Amino acid sequence: MARMTQRRKVHRFGYGDDGTLIERLREDVLAAEEPLEIRLGHKPFTVTMRTPGDDFDLVAGFLVSEGVLWRDDQLVSMRFCAGEDEDGRQTYNVVEAALGAGAVLPDTSMERHVYTSSSCGICGTASIDAVRKSSRFDVAEDAVQLPLRLLLQLPEKLREAQAVFDRTGGVHAAALFRVAGDDVELLCVREDVGRHNAVDKVVGWALRNKMLPLEGTVLQVSGRASFELVQKAAMAGIPVLSAVSAPSSLAVELAQTAGLTLAGFSRGTSLNVYSHPHRVLR
């Protein structure tokens, strides 16, 4: 938690009930944001801006999203590389991954030639063709179904687990749930300044725990549902994606094509289902 947040002095301004200006110097807690360089076999692959913490999950999930990995045995090891800040402290901002048999080594067209910001998971992709990836898992064949009342409960369950958001108010979150009969089981929650990073951390956690493909699961995210989040869900074999906010048109198109159930505007009492509503039991 220490590296995920930072404390800063801020000037707080406001007006009292009588209209008097009030100024206070106080300490605020901010969500940390630092660069992370990902290396494959000693070769730089990309740099992404992220909230430090669960970095191995982030790297593993990112490689699943890129189509490099889809089985846990394809990831041999990960380690932090040497790197120091101006005070001589280890930065933990470079991770090198060693890939095993079966992993698809990225070619030059997949390399990220600019850094990936915390607000964009596909920025810097070298070609338009590299944006859309082909999943090894067929989510259209996933027979999972869940009651509408359970799907509507997921945003609140996610919110209750957001420890970093409680302190900063400045991070996105993703949670993975497994449908278990007439209930759901919370499997994993991850937070990050980037919504795509939060999803990658969840997917990476699942890969490292030998759980891919994620059949019978629901991914709940705290923000909107973009094309990249639908793609990441499909690449991990997740059949249902639910978002608190709106989806984009391309996200809906990809969800429909992939056979993934996409829900948006999930606000506790209502939601919209944009694709494959047969998985939601009325």
Side-chain angles (χ1 to χ4, degrees):
M1 180 71 74
R3 294 195 70 227
M4 299 180 73
T5 61
Q6 296 180 6
R7 294 182 177 274
R8 290 289 186 271
K9 295 290 185 181
V10 299
H11 290 268
R12 183 175 179 85
F13 295 95
Y15 288 102
D17 294 337
D18 59 356
T20 303
L21 176 65
I22 301 173
E23 178 183 356
R24 294 190 179 95
L25 182 63
R26 55 171 292 184
E27 190 176 68
D28 199 8
V29 179
L30 308 178
E33 184 176 25
E34 297 179 14
L36 178 70
E37 178 182 337
I38 300 174
R39 296 179 182 174
L40 301 181
H42 308 294
K43 183 180 179 182
F45 181 51
T46 190
V47 176
T48 184
M49 301 301 294
R50 97 300 189 195
T51 297
D54 304 303
D55 288 329
F56 286 176
D57 288 347
L58 173 59
V59 172
F62 178 82
L63 294 177
V64 171
S65 297
E66 291 293 313
V68 176
L69 307 175
W70 58 95
R71 300 194 315 265
D72 63 277
D73 61 355
Q74 295 169 332
L75 182 60
V76 175
S77 65
M78 287 183 285
R79 68 182 183 92
F80 285 106
C81 298
E84 296 181 349
D85 60 18
E86 59 274 11
D87 298 320
R89 295 172 298 190
Q90 165 66 274
T91 61
Y92 297 99
N93 283 339
V94 180
V95 171
E96 181 175 82
L99 306 182
V104 178
L105 290 172
D107 57 32
T108 54
S109 68
M110 286 180 61
E111 291 180 6
R112 302 299 183 87
H113 298 297
V114 298
Y115 82 93
T116 304
S117 74
S118 56
S119 61
C120 179
I122 58 176
C123 299
T125 303
S127 69
I128 295 297
D129 292 339
V131 170
R132 189 184 292 252
K133 307 293 191 304
S134 297
S135 177
R136 301 277 177 165
F137 311 120
D138 187 3
V139 296
E141 296 300 314
D142 197 309
V144 66
Q145 292 183 310
L146 73 163
L148 172 62
R149 62 175 182 81
L150 291 182
L151 188 56
L152 287 168
Q153 293 173 8
L154 300 190
E156 182 59 28
K157 291 180 181 293
L158 170 60
R159 177 66 188 85
E160 291 172 354
Q162 289 183 249
V164 180
F165 183 87
D166 286 340
R167 300 185 64 194
T168 67
V171 291
H172 293 280
L176 186 68
F177 296 89
R178 185 178 300 283
V179 180
D182 200 33
D183 203 354
V184 289
E185 176 190 3
L186 175 60
L187 301 177
C188 177
V189 177
R190 293 291 184 265
E191 296 179 275
D192 199 281
V193 289
R195 62 173 60 88
H196 60 92
N197 288 341
V199 172
D200 277 342
K201 288 178 177 181
V202 167
V203 171
W205 170 86
L207 176 80
R208 298 176 68 206
N209 282 277
K210 309 179 187 303
M211 295 174 63
L212 263 59
L214 287 167
E215 299 173 345
T217 62
V218 182
L219 181 66
Q220 176 68 52
V221 297
S222 60
R224 62 185 178 86
S226 61
F227 165 86
E228 58 186 332
L229 296 196
V230 174
Q231 180 168 267
K232 289 176 185 295
M235 295 296 284
I238 299 172
V240 182
L241 171 61
S242 173
V244 170
S245 192
S248 68
S249 61
L250 195 56
V252 174
E253 178 184 322
L254 178 59
Q256 185 65 41
T257 302
L260 184 147
T261 299
L262 176 60
F265 290 109
S266 183
R267 304 289 174 84
T269 58
S270 65
L271 53 77
N272 297 340
V273 179
Y274 295 87
S275 60
H276 302 282
H278 65 278
R279 292 194 177 98
V280 182
L281 300 177
R282 286 66 133 183

